[in-house]
Structures are given as structure tokens and as C-alpha cells.
Amino acid sequence: MKIYRNFIRAIAVGTALSSITACSNFLDEEDESNFTTDTYFTTAAHAESAVNGIYEPLVSITNSGFGGGTWMMLEFATGLANTSLGQATNIYLVKDLINNSDNGYGSSFWTGYYLGISRANLAIEKIPEINMDEALKQKYLAEAKFFRAYYYFGLVRMFGNIPIITNSVDLGSDQLYPEQSSAEAVYDLIVNDLKEAEGAGLAWRVGSGRVSLGAVKTLLADVYLTMAGYPLQKTENYALAAAKAKEVMDSDEFGLFDTYDELHDPATKNTGEYIFMTQFAAGIQSGNWQPGILPYNLGISAYSAQTGGIFSTNAFVDSYEVGDKRTEEKQFYFTSYSLEADRNSSVNLGAPYIFKHFDIEANEGSAQSDLNWCLYRYADVLLMYAEAANEAESGPSTEAYDAVNEIRQRAELVDLSGLSQDAFRDAVRIERIHELSFENKTWYDMVRWRKAYNPETNALEDFVGHNFSYLPNKALTARELLFPIPTSEMQNNPNLVQNTGY
């Protein structure tokens, strides 16, 4: 725990130092005590602080309050989420299929992820010049390349053709007004970065929460699986995705938690099922999404802000199979809770709220969450493997069945068996939607499948033409396969072309 908390503090310090070096190009100082990118990168400690700063953009994505939260954009785009927030315009733009380039969530993703990329670029440029232990140098470079890949992976899926920037940029740079690159070119960069990170000597698991070999291979499996689907349709990558996921499975470093309670227990962070997480620590850098997942002003929490920002639609929770443990009270969802003023009394919440992200101790006492935010967990790997192997092998193998049934056994559901390739494909996809709900996975899956989930029929339908259950008279169109490039970016860079339909 001490190592973990020191890492959180180091991220904050690294972020501050990254901000200093980012500003250096605008200064014209002769005082050698001032940091610039030319004078700063001289020691191993400088390399560490530069890399720590690359982690920071993960944090702001989870911020949640009366304006909703950036992470919620990807959930409302599925049609499976609801809200009690009347004033959160960004939510309704997405939820009601009236999105436009002024959406603040999209702008936060774009600027935050490109900030991470710029910091990664600077680290990749400057760290090789530092005289330091070579093994440690390679690990820091691997972390920087992992993050450059991670941030580009998010951007290319959300916004499509985007600028590729691989060098640090100042006011005199040729890349100050970059043109967009094809999605395929972005994926080529992502794969290359991750392959280089794979060979850097990272440990399979890192207890402090730093980038590990397990995280690199899991992200690469996800990238291959996405490339095999739309829009690239490089179906040969199904075999690559299955093989990479299998490496994670065969490492014996990860495994499913026995209970769902462990998914939101601060004591389990960076252990067991968790492969990679955004790091938080109560009292230092507290988990900041709790207000967004609390019912609006029902008095169940020690948090002063209880916004009702996001919860599941009733139709979605009802779509789980009968007897699915995940839908039992206080497993994945909760519909009642004790009152903050009297823990012996309970209130009906009026909707299924998200319990898998709920910090009990923080809500009942400190209002300082010690939970991490999960980016990848082992259940995701099992489902990636089952889906990819089914496609690569023209049907489900015993190992593919074993992978998805491990998920179902924890949910106390009967094993899948005897399915055709098509039936197994649909079953695994629906299992992903149910298991990984509200973890920023489902919209990405819908886009690469070109399929949307109908909770009322428990079936996948063509994405274009699909109706959200609460919008029966308005269907998804091809424009909803991407988000709009933010208005500010379009105004600042005349070389950008807006996505079709916005």
C-alpha cells in the first residue's frame, strides 16, 4: 500500500513537472535554474517524473458531478443508461441522438488524450538521451509507448480519422496544424508501440499499478480484436487477438475474483482480476466518480453531491437471464440503500443504480473514495479470447467454451454448449454486454460489431436503424458510429475535416 500511495503522489509531482516542461517553449529565459525540455531530462528521476505525468489524463476522465462526467459519454451512447440530471446538456446530446461538436465530453476526451500523447512523445524523445540504468530506461520507454498506444486507441475509435503526432510540438513545429491520418495508419502506430513495449522487460504484474506486461498484452489483444471488426475488417487479426489473450490466460498471473463484492473493494486494487487501473488513493487523489453514480438527493451518502448522473435502464437489468447473480441486489446494481442519517432505515432508489463502482466505506463515512477505476480486468480477456477464437477457428472450441463459461459459472448460470459458430458469437457478445456493463466497453463493441443490443428482445440488431428503448421513433444512423471532432479543434486547425453528419 505504501508503494501504491507513493506512486499516486509521484503522478501528481510528475504532472506538475510535465506542465513546467510543456510551458518551456513559450519562455525566453537565460537563467539556467529554469527548467526547459533541453535542461530538464538529465537524470533517472527526471525520466520517472516525465512518465508519471503521462498517467494523469486517465484521472480527469472519471470526474463526475452535476455536469455529469466525461466517461458517461460512452455509456449514454449505448442506449442502456438513464439519468436524473436535468441540467447536464452533454448527456442529453448523446442520449437523445442530437449530439454535436459542442459536446464538452468529446472535447475532454480529445484534449485529455492528446495531452497524454504529447507527454508520451516528449518522454520517448528525451529519455533515450539520459545516462541511467538501461533496463530501467527501457521500462520507462515501454510505459510511454503503452500510453501513446492507449490514448490513440481511444481517439481512433471515438473520432475516426485523426492526426498522428509522434514528436513534441511547439509554436514552430510543422505539426502545429496536423492533417488527419487514416484509421489504418493510426492502428499501425498503436501495434508498433505495443510490440516494442512487449519486449522491454516489464513484469507481468506490478502491485503499484504501473504499466505491466499483462496490461500491454491485454491492450494488444483488444487492438487486434478491434482491427478484425469494423471499420478495418482485418479478419486475420482474430487469430492474433486469440493468441495474445491466451498468453495472458496462460501466464497464471490473473484470475476471476470469487465474488462481485471484490470488484469494488479498495483492498483488491491491482490484484486478482484486475490487470490495469486508473490509480486513486483516499486523502491524496480520491476516486471521483461516486457523486455521479448516486441517486439524486436521496440522502444515502456522506457525499454532499449526490447527482443521479447515471444509472441503468430497467430494460437493461431485466435483460439478464433469470437467476443471473449479477442482477441480485447489491451485486452489479442496487435499488435500495440505507439512509445516511439513519443506517437502520432504507429508501427505494426508484431505478437500478451501479453498485460495481460503489465505494461502501466512502459513502457511509469518509466521502473520500479509495477505489481505483478499472480499465482492464481478466473477465474482459476471457471474453476477448472466446470471441476471437470462435472467429479464427470457424466455430467454438473447448477452450473458447471454457473461457466464457468461467464467466457464467460465477454468475451461477448454466454453461453454454452445443452452439453453432453464429449462435456462440451472439452468446459471447451478449455476455460481454452484461459482464462489462458500465465499464466503457459496450459502445466500442457495438461499433466494431456494427450491432446494437436490444434489451427488450435480448438480441443484437444492426446498428444503423436500431432504436433505443426510450426513443422508439428515432433510430441510430451511420453518424453515431463516431463522435464529432470538437468545435474548438475544428476552429483552431483548418486542416481538420469534420465527421460525416455533424
Side-chain angles (χ1 to χ4, degrees):
M1 182 62 73
K2 183 178 180 181
I3 293 173
Y4 164 76
R5 289 179 178 270
N6 285 342
F7 179 40
I8 295 298
R9 291 188 178 96
I11 290 175
V13 173
T15 299
L17 291 173
S18 294
S19 298
I20 292 170
T21 58
C23 293
S24 66
N25 294 304
F26 301 95
L27 301 176
D28 184 15
E29 300 280 355
E30 296 300 327
D31 186 347
E32 293 183 1
S33 67
N34 284 324
F35 287 130
T36 70
T37 56
D38 292 327
T39 63
Y40 177 69
F41 291 91
T42 59
T43 70
H46 294 162
E48 181 181 21
S49 67
V51 172
N52 288 344
I54 309 172
Y55 285 77
E56 190 274 335
L58 296 176
V59 173
S60 59
I61 297 302
T62 64
N63 286 335
S64 304
F66 283 101
T70 299
W71 68 277
M72 297 179 188
M73 181 179 85
L74 297 175
E75 300 302 335
F76 285 105
T78 68
L80 304 174
N82 206 342
T83 186
S84 295
L85 271 174
Q87 71 271 41
T89 303
N90 294 326
I91 286 177
Y92 289 95
L93 289 174
V94 178
K95 177 178 179 289
D96 294 342
L97 303 183
I98 54 174
N99 200 17
N100 61 52
S101 60
D102 292 329
N103 192 311
Y105 296 161
S107 180
S108 293
F109 268 120
W110 182 284
T111 58
Y113 280 14
Y114 268 115
L115 175 62
I117 288 166
S118 71
R119 292 176 176 176
N121 287 340
L122 191 62
I124 292 166
E125 273 186 18
K126 297 298 183 180
I127 289 176
E129 302 170 1
I130 298 175
N131 183 16
M132 59 182 290
D133 178 79
E134 188 62 27
L136 184 59
K137 177 187 290 187
Q138 293 307 314
K139 289 179 182 180
Y140 285 147
L141 287 170
E143 290 181 63
K145 289 173 182 176
F146 169 89
F147 272 113
R148 187 165 69 178
Y150 178 85
Y151 291 134
Y152 269 124
F153 188 40
L155 289 168
V156 72
R157 288 180 294 170
M158 283 186 277
F159 300 106
N161 295 344
I162 56 172
I164 293 177
I165 304 171
T166 56
N167 301 307
S168 58
V169 177
D170 60 29
L171 290 177
S173 297
D174 294 336
Q175 291 186 306
L176 193 59
Y177 301 106
E179 296 182 351
Q180 288 150 288
S181 299
S182 68
E184 186 167 5
V186 178
Y187 277 105
D188 286 344
L189 172 65
I190 291 168
V191 170
N192 186 65
D193 274 351
L194 292 175
K195 284 183 174 179
E196 290 185 6
E198 264 191 304
L202 295 171
W204 268 101
R205 181 191 283 281
V206 182
S208 67
R210 299 193 79 96
V211 173
S212 66
L213 183 59
V216 173
K217 288 183 181 291
T218 298
L219 177 55
L220 187 51
D222 197 6
V223 169
Y224 282 142
L225 187 59
T226 301
M227 293 173 72
Y230 291 93
L232 298 187
Q233 293 185 280
K234 291 182 174 292
T235 55
E236 66 273 16
N237 282 11
Y238 282 122
L240 297 175
K244 200 56 60 179
K246 191 67 164 54
E247 289 179 36
V248 179
M249 294 159 63
D250 289 345
S251 73
D252 293 327
E253 292 285 342
F254 311 97
L256 296 184
F257 289 130
D258 293 332
T259 69
Y260 296 125
D261 289 340
E262 292 167 279
L263 288 176
H264 57 106
D265 181 352
T268 67
K269 59 176 62 174
N270 306 323
T271 70
E273 188 165 342
Y274 288 126
I275 297 173
F276 193 61
M277 314 181 80
T278 304
Q279 305 297 306
F280 293 97
I284 301 172
Q285 184 171 272
S286 300
N288 44 19
W289 61 89
Q290 296 299 312
I293 64 170
L294 299 173
Y296 181 69
N297 283 353
L298 289 184
I300 70 167
S301 173
Y303 283 91
S304 58
Q306 301 172 46
T307 71
I310 189 169
F311 51 90
S312 174
T313 63
N314 288 315
F316 179 59
V317 173
D318 290 344
S319 72
Y320 285 70
E321 293 177 48
V322 174
D324 193 322
K325 187 174 181 65
R326 292 169 292 197
T327 62
E328 292 181 7
E329 184 71 8
K330 294 183 176 67
Q331 298 298 317
F332 274 18
Y333 311 97
F334 67 121
T335 58
S336 66
Y337 207 77
S338 62
L339 293 168
E340 198 268 337
D342 179 7
R343 290 299 176 194
N344 293 315
S345 299
S346 297
V347 62
N348 187 308
L349 309 182
Y353 282 80
I354 307 164
F355 203 63
K356 64 160 68 171
H357 295 320
F358 187 87
D359 187 332
I360 296 173
E361 182 177 345
N363 281 290
E364 293 190 1
S366 66
Q368 290 281 315
S369 179
D370 202 45
L371 281 181
N372 283 351
W373 179 267
C374 178
L375 299 175
Y376 282 109
R377 59 187 175 97
Y378 188 61
D380 195 356
V381 173
L382 291 173
L383 292 167
M384 279 191 242
Y385 174 77
E387 180 183 353
N390 181 57
E391 303 299 336
E393 300 172 17
S394 301
S397 63
T398 299
E399 288 182 315
Y401 274 116
D402 288 346
V404 66
N405 286 335
E406 192 172 343
I407 304 288
R408 292 177 61 82
Q409 287 160 12
R410 182 170 62 174
E412 299 181 0
L413 296 172
V414 297
D415 287 352
L416 299 178
S417 63
L419 300 178
S420 67
Q421 182 184 27
D422 290 346
F424 186 82
R425 177 188 301 120
D426 285 351
V428 170
R429 288 176 172 180
I430 291 171
E431 200 66 53
R432 280 189 64 85
I433 291 169
H434 285 153
E435 174 66 24
L436 303 175
S437 62
F438 298 98
E439 295 183 40
N440 280 183
K441 303 290 183 179
T442 301
W443 181 79
Y444 289 136
D445 285 339
M446 286 169 51
V447 169
R448 68 181 175 86
W449 296 333
R450 292 296 193 263
K451 296 288 184 181
Y453 180 61
N454 186 333
E456 296 177 330
T457 62
N458 190 37
L460 294 162
E461 303 173 345
D462 287 344
F463 184 98
V464 175
H466 172 74
N467 297 99
F468 292 164
S469 59
Y470 55 82
L471 283 178
N473 298 317
K474 190 166 188 176
L476 289 170
T477 66
R479 86 168 199 148
E480 277 81 39
L481 292 166
L482 294 171
F483 291 102
I485 297 172
T487 298
S488 58
E489 301 302 322
M490 295 297 300
Q491 291 174 338
N492 291 336
N493 183 356
N495 292 325
L496 296 180
V497 177
Q498 184 60 273
N499 288 326
T500 303
Y502 293 105

